Amino acid sequence: MPALQHIFRHYARKKCYNSSGKFRKRNGMIKILVDGLMHVGDILISSSVFPVLKKAYPDAKITYLTYGNLCAAAQMIEGVDDVYAYDYKSGGGLLQGIQVARDLRKRHYDIGISLDPRERITLIKWGAGIPVRISLERALGWDLGWERHFYTEDLPLEGWDVTKHRMAESFQEILRRYFHESEKTFIPGRFKPSAAEDMEAIENMLSTAQANKSMKKRHIAFCFQTTMQYRDWPVEKFSELADRLVEAYDVNIVLTGITSHQDKGRKIIAGMKHREAALDLIEKTSFRQLIALFRKVDALVSLDTGSAHIAAAAGCPVVTIFTFNSPEVYQAAVEPSSVEPLPYI
């Protein structure tokens, strides 16, 4: 099997690449399918691959395949031209997989890149007839099993300790090696510019609050709850931190989140001495407005959750409170000069 696999990969490379190592265009344009069936934070962490892809193939059309509820996030990533919603059904789903593979085959993708390759998506891309199928799982710190036989390229990451680098750096490094890129400076993935109406909506929210209260001009946002209890931080800690920030930096505290976060948000405000400096925007913004908010505030204090990576992709300075995961690996993808890991809290 290894010998046959080597022959197949050699044939695929000879067929799909020219002598300079560039992909041979089909239909006049290179079409790349990137799949990431992940959480929103992981999608944004791994978005560091797009600066590398766009440098290698500036005229390529890139489609991002992900869960339907994450398409809004994927569509906002700089470098993504289109999204493909895949509504994964757990347990079975063979017919669905065949239907998706047939649909993708009609779109004639030239390159398929898996950020987190799993069994079903591996078979779907193979069934879609994508000639070059690349797996980046080693950026996540694991190796493929039988699935590797369905990829033409299972990229190595030798001499690179993924536990000592941000995951975003690992994704960028593994793809840079593939394209023989000499650039070493980390370039984080970023969101596209916010729409004018989203920026205006946030400006109105902040200005209305300032008109109704004796609020400050500067804002620090809080993301204070996660979906996993072991990553959370106590209410009283957030209340104390909010008061210290108000007293030290003369700022407003903007609380963000979804409906299920409202109870904890109310308790944080109730525990503050400087309640007048608190602005509750929990469940009051759309996803795109949340990005716009992070572009207006001065910084975000967040637990280890998706909001930290949303803010970073929006260009907002982020301080992440880690209570469980490794900060070396899961830090938000901000510029290298601003990265300074702090001890566990």
Side-chain angles (χ1 to χ4, degrees):
M1 176 64 94
L4 289 174
Q5 187 178 10
H6 176 75
I7 293 170
F8 173 74
R9 287 178 176 172
H10 175 75
Y11 172 75
R13 269 198 161 277
K14 187 174 180 180
K15 179 182 179 182
C16 299
Y17 292 95
N18 60 29
S19 58
S20 63
K22 287 292 185 179
F23 195 88
R24 300 180 191 273
K25 295 183 180 181
R26 298 192 307 175
N27 306 318
M29 176 189 291
I30 294 176
K31 299 174 71 175
I32 301 174
L33 179 69
V34 177
D35 62 85
L37 299 178
M38 314 157 93
H39 298 292
V40 65
D42 299 321
I43 283 178
L44 297 176
I45 286 173
S46 58
S47 68
S48 58
V49 302
F50 292 105
V52 180
L53 280 176
K54 277 300 185 182
K55 183 177 179 180
Y57 298 114
D59 299 323
K61 181 179 180 181
I62 300 177
T63 299
Y64 201 124
L65 182 152
T66 189
Y67 298 122
N69 64 335
L70 295 179
C71 282
Q75 183 69 75
M76 282 294 292
I77 296 172
E78 191 71 52
V80 173
D81 300 299
D82 192 15
V83 294
Y84 187 101
Y86 175 51
D87 294 316
Y88 177 88
K89 295 176 183 177
S90 180
L94 176 61
L95 179 60
Q96 181 203 27
I98 294 173
Q99 290 171 339
V100 171
R102 284 176 175 172
D103 188 37
L104 294 176
R105 180 179 283 269
K106 294 175 185 176
R107 296 169 184 247
H108 303 292
Y109 290 106
D110 300 294
I111 303 173
I113 297 176
S114 286
L115 302 174
D116 185 17
R118 301 295 176 174
E119 294 92 340
R120 195 178 302 181
I121 194 62
T122 294
L123 294 175
I124 285 173
K125 285 207 306 303
W126 175 75
I130 301 174
V132 175
R133 299 178 301 281
I134 302 171
S135 175
L136 308 186
E137 90 285 348
R138 289 191 174 94
L140 295 165
W142 58 280
D143 293 318
L144 288 175
W146 61 265
E147 303 93 340
R148 70 181 181 276
H149 300 299
F150 292 86
Y151 286 93
T152 59
E153 307 284 347
D154 183 15
L155 301 192
L157 195 54
E158 295 173 359
W160 181 273
D161 187 347
V162 296
T163 68
K164 302 299 182 184
H165 296 85
R166 288 178 293 171
M167 190 181 292
E169 293 173 322
S170 296
F171 271 107
Q172 193 161 98
E173 175 68 15
I174 195 171
L175 205 56
R176 277 178 168 169
R177 292 185 182 188
Y178 179 67
F179 289 118
H180 306 289
E181 213 184 278
S182 59
E183 178 64 57
K184 294 299 181 183
T185 302
F186 175 67
I187 304 172
R190 285 289 179 257
F191 283 131
K192 298 167 186 171
S194 292
E197 57 265 29
D198 294 324
M199 295 299 293
E200 184 179 352
I202 292 303
E203 287 170 3
N204 288 338
M205 290 181 196
L206 296 178
S207 60
T208 299
Q210 286 176 318
N212 294 337
K213 299 181 179 182
S214 57
M215 300 193 79
K216 328 295 182 186
K217 291 184 178 180
R218 296 194 297 173
H219 304 80
I220 293 180
F222 274 18
C223 175
F224 53 84
Q225 190 165 332
T226 74
T227 56
M228 302 175 185
Q229 190 174 4
Y230 58 83
R231 293 186 185 179
D232 280 343
W233 211 41
V235 166
E236 59 273 17
K237 292 284 189 182
F238 275 110
S239 298
E240 180 185 354
L241 177 59
D243 283 327
R244 289 191 179 190
L245 290 172
V246 172
E247 292 168 1
Y249 300 105
D250 195 30
V251 295
N252 306 310
I253 303 298
V254 182
L255 273 63
T256 67
I258 59 177
T259 302
S260 59
H261 300 171
Q262 288 177 330
D263 182 57
K264 185 173 181 180
R266 284 192 290 265
K267 290 177 180 177
I268 290 171
I269 295 174
M272 292 174 58
K273 293 185 296 182
H274 300 287
R275 297 185 190 92
E276 76 287 349
L279 174 57
D280 183 356
L281 291 186
I282 301 169
E283 193 58 26
K284 294 179 182 176
T285 61
S286 66
F287 181 79
R288 289 176 181 257
Q289 289 172 345
L290 181 64
I291 295 173
L293 174 66
F294 289 145
R295 286 179 161 144
K296 291 295 293 183
V297 299
D298 296 276
L300 171 72
V301 175
S302 176
L303 294 172
D304 176 25
T305 188
S307 289
H309 305 289
I310 294 170
C316 178
V318 180
V319 176
T320 305
I321 300 170
F322 287 92
T323 60
F324 182 79
N325 283 331
S326 164
E328 286 80 12
V329 175
Y330 292 99
Q331 289 175 64
V334 293
E335 300 293 343
S337 59
S338 60
V339 174
E340 186 174 349
L342 299 175
Y344 286 84
I345 296 178

